[in-house]
Amino acid sequence: MLNAWHLPVAPFIKSHDDRLSITLWLRGNDLPQRITMRAEIDNEECVMAMKRLSKSPVPGVTAWRGEIPLDSGQPRRRYAFKLLWPDRQLWFAPKGFSRIPPAKLELFAVDVPDSGPQWVADQIFYQIFPDRFARSEIRTPEQDKVYYHHAAGHDIILRDWNEPLTADAGGSTFYCGDLDGISEKLPYLKKLGVTGLYLNPVFAAPSVHKYDTQDYREVDPQFGGNAALLRLRENTQREGMRLILDGVFNHSGDTHAWFDRQNTASSGACHNASSPWRDWYSFSPEGRALDWLGYPSLPKLDYQSESLVNEIYRGEESIVRHWLKAPWNMDGWRLDVVHMLGEGGGARNNLKHVAGITQAAKETRPDSYVFGEHFGDARQWLQADTEDAAMNYRGFTLPVWAFLANTDLSYDPQKIDAQTCMAWMEDYRAGLSHQQQLRMFNQLDSHDTARFKTLLGKDVARLGLGVVWLFSWPGVPCIYYGDEVGVDGANDPMCRKPFPWDKSQQDGELLALYQRMAKLRKKSEALRRGGCQVLYAEDNVVVFVRVLKRERVLIAINRGEACEVVLEDTPLLSFDSLMQREGSGENQDGVLTLPALSATVWSGE
């Protein structure tokens, strides 16, 4: 039997000035006589010879090494291995052995040089829905004004922080959280291990969720206005925290002066064919504005308009650039439903405009982090480098839901075994470069989904398994506010409950698990930047290892009964011992003894 090992990280790759050294490990009885590496230079396939090394890096392993020139070609270096015998050939790529050449987008891929934001992979993000996280002590009465919410057809509703959330008037119910409240809770977030914040929209808008933007250049007065955001930015900088804003550029709100459905200024595009903003929106032949998914309060922006393009991203004083400049100095943008943005009321020329947004951000702040919201397959955008990363629903959240909570995005039943789960996640990863994988935005849930705890239902004991997975799978973990203390809730609006600051209402054991995993990730470069190899995936058990240089982190997830797992002998785990860092499983000479419903982490060098 022939086995092969390669990950696009050290010790398997090493950069030497103008050359990238790449090593393949092999073990078996029927070793190939020759190995070549199929690489690319400016999209042209090239064959690189590989040499067998005289010295084995690990006992029992035969190593072959080749080089890719770095003084030419594109930064994304794609490659696979072609193993040759006198009468046959075999290919090796991220998805394993194949008798046919792997597709271009299923090759190993590493970005050298990597122009993406280097800081992202080291973060632990925390997503905050501003109205529901914390109400500040310095909040003023002016922040609690009641006004008429046209889209809802009634006045907004103000509630006390401890009043239970109901499904009534979801978009019009306010608990009066604000940005100064976030500032006041930064010590709590630091203790949790958080290093970066992603805020749902903060700009002026009539709804509680603020995705119906009324003014892209003013922070909502309910949240404390521009001054409160500036205070939060200064406070996060002092604490060494990153801050990401939510960019809603697919549509505006119908109360925006550009559109003005209520006809308050008589110059908005809705009722005025000669409005200076008329071509910023798309209208049917009958004069009806095209909206987003049937929501009339969310008219679609039309990027056929050059003046709109200049206002949103291209112009020197555009909205995208404005918030990345001083004094705001934001660290990047999360782009709402960005795959739907485009021209003519649809998504025509979408990639062009998404790339334009990202380019404008990079020109303004080269290390800014731009990631898109994609519930579906985001690889089209990532492979075209129009974004740094994406919210990793398809590559992380949904397979974890299916494996642990037996549900899909539509909340229909979906029960899969470990082998299927790993095939799903590994197939998705195979289409991305290593650096892109490390910057993917991983979450167990968000403001747009039911809480993971609620999805688990009767299997809520599996909650901790998901938490360990979140902190150990390739990508940057993001905690949706309140998950760490056991907040539950079905889909919107119930997933947006006020944070329970009364400790008697918090799950202290769950909070402690989040804190331990955050500390473990901070200490482990392999968890933050290492390659990932699945070692076992059968029935109820998933085992994978993170690898970087000499460091190894072994993770075992068992959703079922107590069991023993025998790992195949692998040179990736050629250590005298691995120390247990989390959980209560045991590892004895490659035999894992796993308790029921357990997640165990071992590490060593």
Side-chain angles (χ1 to χ4, degrees):
M1 182 178 178
L2 182 65
N3 288 307
W5 296 272
H6 176 80
L7 295 170
V9 295
F12 295 96
I13 67 170
K14 187 175 183 180
S15 180
H16 307 272
D17 297 324
D18 61 347
R19 314 289 291 179
L20 184 67
S21 174
I22 297 177
T23 304
L24 174 69
W25 292 359
L26 292 176
R27 187 165 64 194
N29 297 322
D30 186 17
L31 296 176
Q33 294 185 359
R34 283 192 303 129
I35 299 180
T36 60
M37 183 166 53
R38 187 184 81 175
E40 292 183 346
I41 297 179
D42 292 332
N43 298 324
E44 177 68 17
E45 292 186 4
C46 302
V47 176
M48 314 287 187
M50 299 191 73
K51 294 182 179 180
R52 180 171 174 170
L53 303 184
S54 58
K55 184 177 179 181
S56 173
V58 179
V61 166
T62 300
W64 293 71
R65 182 169 295 163
E67 291 185 334
I68 293 178
L70 296 178
D71 55 358
S72 61
Q74 301 177 92
R76 181 148 303 142
R77 316 292 171 168
R78 302 184 187 275
Y79 57 93
F81 304 101
K82 184 180 183 182
L83 286 61
L84 292 158
W85 290 263
D87 58 348
R88 69 188 190 280
Q89 62 180 247
L90 198 60
W91 292 82
F92 184 70
K95 295 170 72 173
F97 286 117
S98 172
R99 296 190 179 277
I100 60 174
K104 172 175 180 168
L105 298 180
E106 294 183 349
L107 305 180
F108 291 106
V110 59
D111 296 329
V112 184
D114 174 24
S115 61
Q118 302 298 306
W119 56 269
V120 172
D122 294 325
Q123 306 308 306
I124 295 172
F125 276 99
Y126 193 84
Q127 179 189 348
I128 294 178
F129 194 81
D131 182 69
R132 306 290 166 82
F133 181 62
R135 179 177 179 137
S136 69
E137 305 238 348
I138 61 173
R139 188 176 177 91
T140 63
E142 288 75 20
Q143 291 178 252
D144 294 333
K145 289 183 178 179
V146 174
Y147 56 84
Y148 188 78
H149 187 188
H150 288 280
H154 55 73
D155 287 345
I156 65 166
I157 301 167
L158 302 184
R159 286 188 173 166
D160 181 78
W161 196 260
N162 295 315
E163 283 187 71
L165 180 65
T166 68
D168 298 331
S172 304
T173 300
F174 290 80
Y175 282 83
C176 306
D178 54 32
L179 300 180
D180 286 317
I182 299 173
S183 284
E184 291 168 9
K185 297 301 183 182
L186 291 183
Y188 164 80
L189 295 172
K190 288 269 290 187
K191 187 175 180 181
L192 177 58
V194 169
T195 61
L197 304 182
Y198 151 49
L199 306 183
N200 286 111
V202 298
F203 303 124
S207 72
V208 69
H209 52 72
K210 309 298 179 191
Y211 282 97
D212 49 345
T213 313
Q214 185 170 308
D215 190 333
Y216 288 97
R217 296 181 185 272
E218 294 293 328
V219 175
D220 198 289
Q222 290 176 300
F223 293 160
N226 288 3
L229 181 61
L230 188 56
R231 286 191 291 270
L232 178 60
R233 172 71 288 203
E234 292 169 347
N235 290 334
T236 52
Q237 287 178 320
R238 185 175 60 253
E239 297 293 348
M241 286 186 179
R242 302 286 182 163
L243 187 57
I244 303 292
L245 296 182
D246 205 328
V248 188
F249 305 133
N250 170 70
H251 53 267
S252 75
D254 65 353
T255 60
H256 199 296
W258 301 341
F259 193 78
D260 191 20
R261 185 183 297 280
Q262 281 69 51
N263 210 13
T264 59
S266 301
S267 58
C270 182
H271 304 291
N272 184 358
S274 61
S275 168
W277 305 298
R278 181 75 175 188
D279 69 342
W280 291 20
Y281 299 91
S282 297
F283 292 84
S284 70
E286 297 76 31
R288 182 182 63 83
L290 304 185
D291 55 46
W292 179 69
L293 296 183
Y295 293 98
S297 62
L298 305 176
K300 280 269 293 184
L301 293 168
D302 189 344
Y303 284 80
Q304 287 183 107
S305 169
E306 285 295 310
S307 55
L308 174 67
V309 167
N310 287 332
E311 172 68 14
I312 296 294
Y313 68 83
R314 186 183 294 157
E316 188 57 37
E317 300 303 321
S318 67
I319 293 160
V320 167
R321 297 178 192 268
H322 173 78
W323 296 100
L324 299 179
K325 295 179 180 179
W328 312 104
N329 299 312
M330 297 300 165
D331 292 294
W333 289 100
R334 178 264 194 187
L335 302 178
D336 182 60
V337 292
V338 70
H339 51 284
M340 301 185 74
L341 176 152
E343 302 174 4
R348 191 171 73 240
N349 286 328
N350 174 268
L351 287 175
K352 167 187 170 182
H353 295 294
V354 178
I357 291 171
T358 300
Q359 180 180 349
K362 302 296 184 182
E363 289 172 354
T364 309
R365 180 165 183 159
D367 71 339
S368 60
Y369 179 37
V370 181
F371 63 101
E373 178 200 24
H374 302 272
F375 274 95
D377 192 339
R379 289 175 295 184
Q380 176 184 355
W381 290 266
L382 299 173
Q383 289 157 354
D385 290 313
T386 64
E387 303 165 347
D388 290 316
M391 298 184 79
N392 202 13
Y393 288 109
R394 186 60 62 93
F396 177 79
T397 311
L398 298 183
V400 169
W401 279 15
F403 184 68
L404 295 181
N406 303 327
T407 190
D408 69 3
L409 183 60
S410 300
Y411 309 113
D412 292 325
Q414 182 181 31
K415 187 172 184 177
I416 61 175
D417 60 16
Q419 188 173 12
T420 304
C421 182
M422 286 297 94
W424 181 346
M425 298 175 83
E426 289 292 272
D427 178 76
Y428 199 82
R429 284 203 309 131
L432 304 175
S433 75
H434 174 67
Q435 286 81 2
Q436 287 177 314
Q437 293 176 33
L438 299 181
R439 287 191 279 266
M440 292 296 279
F441 203 77
N442 292 344
Q443 292 184 278
L444 291 172
D445 49 28
S446 75
H447 67 293
D448 281 325
T449 74
R451 297 271 183 170
F452 183 58
K453 179 178 180 179
T454 296
L455 291 174
L456 288 168
K458 62 181 178 59
D459 293 315
V460 70
R462 295 176 177 178
L463 181 56
L465 282 60
V467 175
V468 171
W469 212 333
L470 175 66
F471 282 89
S472 54
W473 192 253
V476 56
C478 179
I479 306 163
Y480 181 43
Y481 82 99
D483 275 359
E484 76 278 12
V485 294
V487 172
D488 60 4
N491 203 13
D492 173 27
M494 303 310 295
C495 58
R496 304 172 181 182
K497 294 179 179 178
F499 190 101
W501 289 108
D502 183 345
K503 288 190 176 182
S504 68
Q505 298 177 14
Q506 298 179 2
D507 184 335
E509 290 186 10
L510 182 61
L511 177 60
L513 173 61
Y514 271 92
Q515 290 171 326
R516 291 196 304 272
M517 288 305 301
K519 289 179 182 177
L520 182 59
R521 181 180 171 86
K522 183 178 181 180
K523 292 178 181 178
S524 170
E525 190 178 7
L527 283 180
R528 302 192 311 272
R529 297 179 177 272
C532 180
Q533 181 76 48
V534 176
L535 301 180
Y536 184 92
E538 295 289 342
D539 196 15
N540 294 315
V541 179
V542 169
V543 181
F544 57 93
V545 61
R546 300 295 302 277
V547 175
L548 186 65
K549 302 173 186 174
R550 291 187 54 82
E551 185 186 1
R552 304 290 185 269
V553 183
L554 182 67
I555 301 98
I557 309 286
N558 176 24
R559 72 176 183 187
E561 300 297 324
C563 64
E564 280 194 351
V565 169
V566 180
L567 299 180
E568 288 189 15
D569 185 30
T570 170
L572 296 178
L573 296 178
S574 56
F575 295 91
D576 292 335
S577 65
L578 291 171
M579 296 293 294
Q580 182 180 296
R581 307 297 183 184
E582 178 60 43
S584 56
E586 297 181 4
N587 178 10
Q588 192 70 34
D589 298 325
V591 178
L592 307 183
T593 303
L594 305 178
L597 300 172
S598 65
T600 311
V601 182
W602 301 266
S603 70
E605 293 188 1

